[in-house]
Amino acid sequence: MKNIAILGSSGGNLYNLGGKEPEKLLGEILNQMDSAGFNVSAIQFIAAEVSMDKAKDSTKAGIFLWDESKRCPVKTYNGLLKDTNDEVAVTDKRIAEKIRNDEIDGLITMSIDPVGANKEAILAAIEKKIPIVGTGGTSMAMISSKGGNVIATSGTTGTTNRTRAVSFITSLSKYWGHKFQPSFNSTAGDSTANPKGNPFKAINLKGIMQASMPGFIAMAIILAASQIPALEDFNNIFEIMLKALPVILAAIAAKQVSDLDEISIVAGVIAGTLSIEGGIIGGIIGGIGAGLLVRFLFAKSVQWRFPMTTANIIAGGFGGLISGLIVYYLVAPFALQAGNFIKFAINSAVEFNPLLAGTLAGILIWPAILGGVYHAAILPIVLLEMEKTGNSFLGSIDMVGLVMVAAGINLANIIAPRDKGEAAVATPGFLINIGFGTFVESAYPFMFSNKLVFLGSLFSAAFGGALVGYFNIRGTAYVPAFMSPLLSNNMTGLIIAMLGSLLCAFIITLIANKASKKQASQINKEISNQNV
């Protein structure tokens, strides 16, 4: 196992590109080192409260050192910048001693001070000719001029914590002939982060759709506002936002697949802009392609020892451009037709028999969400419908058949629960159902514990769906219940449908609870008689 020391400061340009958050910057390097199987032997990082380009002697600064027992960098000093060199002198000499004792095999440096805070460590590294990688034009030039074994150097412009870390470890791995697969596990708690390995496994259509929902809801709000006579100009804004949807989806998809921070997002925006003619399907395809190309081009650029700024430009710029052009010239017409076909199928079913279509959709929506296929099958269709009109038939079914039914079940358990404890469980669920138009899972405990409530939820959803079909409603979910009618094409109809399914679920649940309480009372009475 190779032992590596990390030396650095928050830097000038680096300060605005990760240096002002030392824990995240160092954490990303440690993440990539762990992926490579390298060991951290020492850390010495000086973090100023402002960019070093603007720092003064009176600037406050902290010092982060490696804590072997905790296996993480810890802040050991907080004082004035002018005093930091004195504070790190002991650490600098200790690192130099480790290098001379062959306890450190390589250095990662970032905006260091080769003649001050890091003087002894650099002299020892030059003596032992251990490989050095890093950023900071002036400092790296000084190290090279003194005879340091610099195997990779670059500026910081256009880089991110992740791309720098991957570049550092790739260069050291190549120098030692060590195999290294970059890790794309997020150090910032990103749930969509892609583990190292096959990038295709990172493609998650459900995650892309869910993350893009705010954009669709914003578009629906603009559409509703445009119906107000004084805000007719909002129609123009709606058209602009309609074109932005593929860009949103592409940026999310690219970030999900490559997870190289800002580079991924830039590539996704480029690809999405060129994928507008393909609608949201084109945007998703363009974004996924951009993410895959970003990872490939970045890895190749690092292997070819391009400067990190150049590697980022190639990965982000060309990755997005190539994917976007492919969609623009080859994929967009087919993607648009696929989306139009799905919308045509929905509209045809509703036009053929709106009552039947609404009833079937209402019945099936609960099994869909319970079976885990809602977000994979129904949500994409909702978004495809919204792409054209700003609202959706299935979006109305969602609000009426899921949200309002859950609200009705929760309300019944607030007013007349089987026992007092259930009211405490139902109250927050009801408030979220009404206030935010989501959290239908809050009704699960009551549905699964009583067959009549479960069957009542299906009947209520079917009843509400029939009303949606009868009034030919197009709307959306994921918004407050009081707001949903404002975003629909039939405000009165949606209000009737929402109240209908809510009251239906409420009444059935009340009856079920009353029957359960009566049955429980009878059982208790029989037990008491037997004991007597």
Side-chain angles (χ1 to χ4, degrees), residues 421-464:
E422 290 186 337
V425 175
T427 301
F430 175 76
L431 294 175
I432 295 175
N433 294 152
I434 298 299
F436 298 93
T438 185
F439 195 33
V440 300
E441 297 86 351
S442 60
Y444 286 178
F446 311 112
M447 293 169 61
F448 296 153
S449 63
N450 192 308
K451 291 182 179 179
L452 182 56
V453 174
F454 183 84
L455 293 174
S457 67
L458 297 181
F459 177 80
S460 303
F463 176 64

Side-chain angles (χ1 to χ4, degrees), residues 484-498:
S484 187
L486 300 175
L487 304 181
S488 71
N489 66 329
N490 188 334
M491 184 186 303
T492 303
L494 184 53
I495 291 173
I496 293 172
M498 290 170 65

Side-chain angles (χ1 to χ4, degrees), residues 448-523:
F448 296 153
S449 63
N450 192 308
K451 291 182 179 179
L452 182 56
V453 174
F454 183 84
L455 293 174
S457 67
L458 297 181
F459 177 80
S460 303
F463 176 64
L467 291 174
V468 168
Y470 177 77
F471 289 109
N472 193 25
I473 301 169
R474 300 292 189 277
T476 184
Y478 298 98
V479 295
F482 64 85
M483 190 177 180
S484 187
L486 300 175
L487 304 181
S488 71
N489 66 329
N490 188 334
M491 184 186 303
T492 303
L494 184 53
I495 291 173
I496 293 172
M498 290 170 65
L499 289 176
S501 58
L502 185 149
L503 290 173
C504 187
F506 173 76
I507 293 170
I508 293 174
T509 305
L510 281 181
I511 295 172
N513 286 354
K514 185 175 181 180
S516 295
K517 289 176 70 175
K518 185 177 180 180
Q519 184 180 11
S521 177
Q522 187 174 356
I523 292 173

Side-chain angles (χ1 to χ4, degrees), residues 201-272:
K201 293 182 179 179
I203 300 173
N204 184 344
L205 294 178
K206 173 183 173 181
I208 296 171
M209 292 294 182
Q210 286 181 316
S212 67
M213 275 302 297
F216 286 83
I217 298 301
M219 182 185 68
I221 292 171
I222 290 296
L223 177 64
S226 69
Q227 307 304 310
I228 301 172
L231 299 176
E232 291 178 351
D233 284 347
F234 272 36
N235 278 312
N236 296 327
I237 298 176
F238 173 76
E239 294 297 329
I240 294 173
M241 294 190 69
L242 192 61
K243 294 179 180 179
L245 293 179
V247 181
I248 294 172
L249 286 155
I252 293 170
K255 174 67 167 60
Q256 180 190 89
V257 174
S258 68
D259 202 19
L260 281 171
D261 302 320
E262 289 87 347
I263 301 173
S264 311
I265 297 171
V266 170
V269 170
I270 295 171

Side-chain angles (χ1 to χ4, degrees), residues 31-100:
N31 184 38
Q32 300 304 328
M33 286 177 59
D34 182 66
S35 181
F38 295 157
N39 180 58
V40 57
S41 181
I43 289 178
Q44 179 184 299
F45 191 91
I46 299 173
E49 289 191 350
V50 299
S51 168
M52 291 294 187
D53 293 336
K54 301 178 181 178
K56 301 177 182 178
D57 288 345
S58 59
T59 298
K60 291 183 179 180
I63 298 173
F64 288 81
L65 302 179
W66 177 248
D67 188 316
E68 186 63 37
S69 61
K70 296 181 179 179
R71 300 296 300 171
C72 68
V74 296
K75 194 174 187 179
T76 61
Y77 169 81
N78 196 25
L80 300 180
L81 183 59
K82 67 177 182 179
D83 299 324
T84 55
N85 280 1
D86 294 334
E87 293 293 329
V88 298
V90 174
T91 306
D92 185 33
K93 291 179 181 179
R94 188 182 301 130
I95 294 173
E97 184 179 350
K98 281 190 171 186
I99 294 172
R100 292 189 174 98

Side-chain angles (χ1 to χ4, degrees), residues 93-121:
K93 291 179 181 179
R94 188 182 301 130
I95 294 173
E97 184 179 350
K98 281 190 171 186
I99 294 172
R100 292 189 174 98
N101 292 335
D102 297 324
E103 297 175 30
I104 293 176
D105 303 299
L107 288 184
I108 294 175
T109 68
M110 296 169 287
S111 300
I112 66 169
D113 182 1
V115 295
N118 309 108
K119 177 181 177 182
E120 297 299 328

